[in-house]
Amino acid sequence: MRISARADYAVRAVVELAVRQGEGPVKAEAVATAQDIPHKFLEGILGDLRRGGVVDSRRGGGGGYRLAREAAEITVADVIRAVDGPIVSVRGERPTGLSYSGTAEPLLPLWIALRANVRRILEGVTIADLAAGALPEPVERLASEPAAWENP
């Protein structure tokens, strides 16, 4: 599984908005600068996040972006889906839409299990968690395993 640059930038931008939540709308330029994200690329991402119901925007001098809901109600999965679509796909299709026969039959439950585990992690971490710098204990435990940091 790969996390796209769009997804990475989107999560970083949403976390930046979360930590600035009390400041009112935040300009895209400020988010881009704080997170070292190319401004033009970020504008497209923020548009996707707005259409996905993750952020709201306001035009004008006092305008900018803010979270559309409380940070505790937005998961990392919500952000990724808003900019990239389904969390796990195989050849661009959702695993539940696939079928295999013969010796390849065990692949379908493998892809489904992979999707379930990825969703469990990404749906279990909120933007509030990230903004607070504290991941849920099961995620911390997985990340602390030495093998998690190895590149086979």
Side-chain angles (χ1 to χ4, degrees):
M1 177 179 166
R2 294 178 190 252
I3 303 296
S4 70
R6 286 182 67 76
D8 179 57
Y9 289 164
V11 173
R12 290 167 46 195
V14 171
V15 171
E16 187 68 28
L17 293 175
V19 299
R20 295 175 176 226
Q21 209 156 1
E23 300 175 17
V26 181
K27 301 260 187 236
E29 297 87 11
V31 174
T33 300
Q35 290 297 320
D36 196 25
I37 299 171
H39 179 256
K40 287 288 188 192
F41 197 32
L42 180 61
E43 286 285 353
I45 291 167
L46 289 168
D48 287 343
L49 291 169
R50 186 180 47 74
R51 285 184 290 281
V54 176
V55 302
D56 286 327
S57 63
R58 187 181 333 163
R59 296 183 185 269
Y65 293 88
R66 63 187 177 130
L67 299 181
R69 302 173 295 205
E70 292 296 318
E73 297 173 9
I74 302 170
T75 68
V76 174
D78 295 331
V79 176
I80 293 173
R81 284 185 187 112
V83 298
D84 275 352
I87 298 289
V88 173
S89 64
V90 178
R91 300 184 324 263
E93 292 184 50
R94 294 173 189 233
T96 53
L98 300 172
S99 64
Y100 295 97
S101 60
T103 57
E105 277 189 64
L107 285 176
L108 184 57
L110 174 65
W111 301 149
I112 298 294
L114 173 66
R115 180 179 76 157
N117 276 310
V118 170
R119 285 173 59 180
R120 183 176 298 132
I121 298 293
L122 298 179
E123 290 173 353
V125 179
T126 68
I127 297 305
D129 294 331
L130 295 174
L135 295 172
E137 192 276 327
V139 177
E140 285 282 355
R141 189 176 47 233
L142 281 171
S144 69
E145 293 177 5
W149 295 88
E150 295 174 7
N151 293 323

